[in-house]
Amino acid sequence: MPLLPRTPSLSRRTLLRGLGGTAALGALAGCGVPAAYVAPGDRSTTDRSATERRLTWANWPLYIDTDDEHPSRRPTLAAFEKESGISVDYIEEINDNDEFFGKISPSLMNHQPTDRDLIVISDWMCGRFVRLGWVQEMDRSRQPNVAKYLDPLLRSPAFDPGRKFTVPWQSGITGIAYNRRRLGREIRHVSDLWAADLKGRVTLLSGMDEAFALLMQGNGVDITRWGTDDFHRICDQVEKQVAKGQIRRFTGNDYIKDLSSGDVLACQAYSGDVIQLQADDPDIEFVVPEEGAELWAESLMIPDLAEHKANAERLIDHYYRPEVAAELAAWVNYVCPVPAARDVLASSGDEETAALAEDPLIFPDAAMRERLAIARDIPAGDRTEFAKRWNGIVGV
């Protein structure tokens, strides 16, 4: 298939916080309820992959390539089905991490199958699944492409050292977006958000897991090993900025319309969203502050008692072929977890597609990579306390 860039009209991440009302479910996951823990010996069942050439895959909407003329057709997935003889039931059912947790947690905590062989959720939620023992360790002997091509920056997050249970589907950066023409200057530091000429024209992300790491980095904190005092310090700082009127509001992905309209001049933002915004407004820029920014991922996992584990592992490895990863990256425009895909895009005969290889928000350059880090997850024992404080500031 030709590698043609695709910018969907609705970013997948605009759906992240659309449902709400799931704090209790998130708290349950964060607490790591002992009765819900599944021991390693109880996580697998008879694998029917050899006799049942199929699998069921749950993913987010707008998170895979589609055919322009036939939107229900997914070229990279169709190629896998043709080559492997494995049929894939692809379900776009994940709209919110906590909501999906609530949907499948009754089965997992009661040691029952979820009827899904593969799921994709955000890494901070993946950490909870790993701690609860709700996912199976993958067999890397079936995944030579993952072993060879996975981005070194994503290989060993604190919640899953060595990526035994998870494999990144797509990645991204939480940084700062701003309108350089309207602001009339550059933004280079997190502290620039508190400048006098931005009073009332700044937004922060409302989700604690989405917001805290970048703010800590502004304080010079190593987010791979931050502590409780670091969290409360940023809360103190944000409370001060709220009281001063510096922060216009806290947002989900609706910061996009605020930034586009000019109501907001600078905000916390996701790199994938900004790529799409820049297509319509080249004055919008995304910056990884000099203090650093958070690199995050949404990852593939095989839940407990999945009946087609080997098929799922083979599908994951398919997407780690550089040519397949390149085709996917050209459509979804997030940070590609397969750096080798860059050369595939660069060699494209299509000028617009080849240009994607030079986009640092899809393939971060060496200088940017030095400033990226994966944040240590919020400890289970602290989550309820932290959420109470953060939500009090945000007004949830």
Side-chain angles (χ1 to χ4, degrees), residues 56-60 74 89-94 115-116:
T56 299
W57 178 8
N59 204 349
W60 302 75
R74 305 172 181 94
D89 184 13
Y90 185 83
I91 308 171
E92 295 183 324
E93 65 169 334
I94 305 176
D115 298 324
R116 298 163 183 83

Side-chain angles (χ1 to χ4, degrees), residues 121-141:
I121 53 179
S122 299
D123 268 2
W124 60 267
M125 179 62 85
C126 290
R128 303 180 191 179
F129 276 66
V130 171
R131 287 195 299 272
L132 287 165
W134 287 3
V135 290
Q136 298 184 60
E137 183 173 345
M138 296 189 201
D139 183 350
R140 288 288 182 262
S141 69

Side-chain angles (χ1 to χ4, degrees), residues 37 71 148 170 201 251 312 352:
Y37 177 75
K148 182 176 182 179
Q170 294 294 290
R201 309 293 292 277
T251 74
E352 191 174 0

Side-chain angles (χ1 to χ4, degrees), residues 55-360:
L55 68 94
T56 299
W57 178 8
N59 204 349
W60 302 75
L62 307 171
Y63 217 17
I64 197 170
D65 54 305
T66 58
D67 190 305
D68 278 332
E69 296 182 2
H70 305 282
S72 63
R73 185 175 184 274
R74 305 172 181 94
T76 57
L77 191 56
F80 170 78
E81 291 180 311
K82 181 178 180 180
E83 177 186 291
S84 67
I86 298 170
S87 64
V88 180
D89 184 13
Y90 185 83
I91 308 171
E92 295 183 324
E93 65 169 334
I94 305 176
N95 293 295
D96 177 275
N97 287 290
D98 284 333
E99 181 269 345
F100 187 67
F101 172 86
K103 189 173 187 177
I104 68 173
S105 61
S107 296
L108 290 164
M109 70 175 59
N110 288 295
H111 301 200
Q112 297 172 350
T114 65
D115 298 324
R116 298 163 183 83
D117 301 294
L118 196 59
I119 62 175
V120 179
I121 53 179
S122 299
D123 268 2
W124 60 267
M125 179 62 85
C126 290
R128 303 180 191 179
F129 276 66
V130 171
R131 287 195 299 272
L132 287 165
W134 287 3
V135 290
Q136 298 184 60
E137 183 173 345
M138 296 189 201
D139 183 350
R140 288 288 182 262
S141 69
R142 297 191 180 113
Q143 299 177 318
N145 293 319
V146 173
K148 182 176 182 179
Y149 293 116
L150 173 58
D151 191 331
L153 284 178
L154 296 167
R155 283 185 180 268
S156 196
F159 74 90
D160 184 16
R163 287 281 184 184
K164 296 179 180 180
F165 299 94
T166 64
V167 173
W169 171 242
Q170 294 294 290
S171 185
I173 303 166
T174 300
I176 296 172
Y178 70 104
N179 190 307
R180 183 170 181 176
R181 178 180 59 81
R182 286 187 168 124
L183 183 58
R185 61 177 176 84
E186 289 186 342
I187 285 180
R188 299 174 57 188
H189 304 276
V190 175
S191 60
D192 290 342
L193 294 173
W194 317 137
D197 60 348
L198 282 173
K199 184 175 182 178
R201 309 293 292 277
V202 172
T203 61
L204 299 182
L205 293 168
S206 58
M208 177 174 64
D209 291 277
E210 288 81 9
F212 81 92
L214 181 71
L215 299 175
M216 283 186 186
Q217 286 167 302
N219 290 337
V221 173
D222 178 356
I223 61 171
T224 67
R225 50 192 305 172
W226 60 271
T228 298
D229 289 345
D230 298 314
F231 177 81
H232 287 296
R233 189 172 296 112
I234 64 164
C235 288
D236 292 341
Q237 292 168 345
V238 173
E239 282 180 328
K240 179 179 178 181
Q241 298 301 332
V242 169
K244 288 171 54 179
Q246 186 75 15
I247 299 171
R248 183 183 184 90
R249 66 190 186 103
F250 295 86
T251 74
N253 290 80
D254 45 340
Y255 70 80
I256 294 172
K257 61 181 177 61
D258 289 342
L259 190 61
S260 297
S261 69
D263 290 338
V264 162
L265 297 182
C267 59
Q268 277 189 314
Y270 303 120
S271 56
D273 288 340
V274 175
I275 291 175
Q276 297 176 32
L277 288 172
Q278 289 171 334
D280 297 320
D281 188 348
D283 292 322
I284 292 177
E285 296 195 13
F286 182 88
V287 61
V288 171
E290 292 190 8
E291 302 88 357
E294 181 191 13
L295 180 68
W296 48 262
E298 286 164 334
S299 294
L300 298 142
M301 298 192 302
I302 299 172
D304 288 357
L305 305 183
E307 295 183 340
H308 307 96
K309 182 174 183 284
N311 291 345
E313 290 167 335
R314 184 170 178 179
L315 174 61
I316 293 168
D317 203 55
H318 167 76
Y319 277 97
Y320 269 73
R321 293 181 182 178
E323 63 274 17
V324 178
E327 187 169 355
L328 181 63
W331 275 74
V332 299
N333 292 168
Y334 283 91
V335 174
C336 181
V338 183
R342 181 180 182 277
D343 291 339
V344 177
L345 288 170
S347 64
S348 171
D350 178 85
E351 183 177 346
E352 191 174 0
T353 299
L356 295 175
E358 303 305 318
D359 191 329

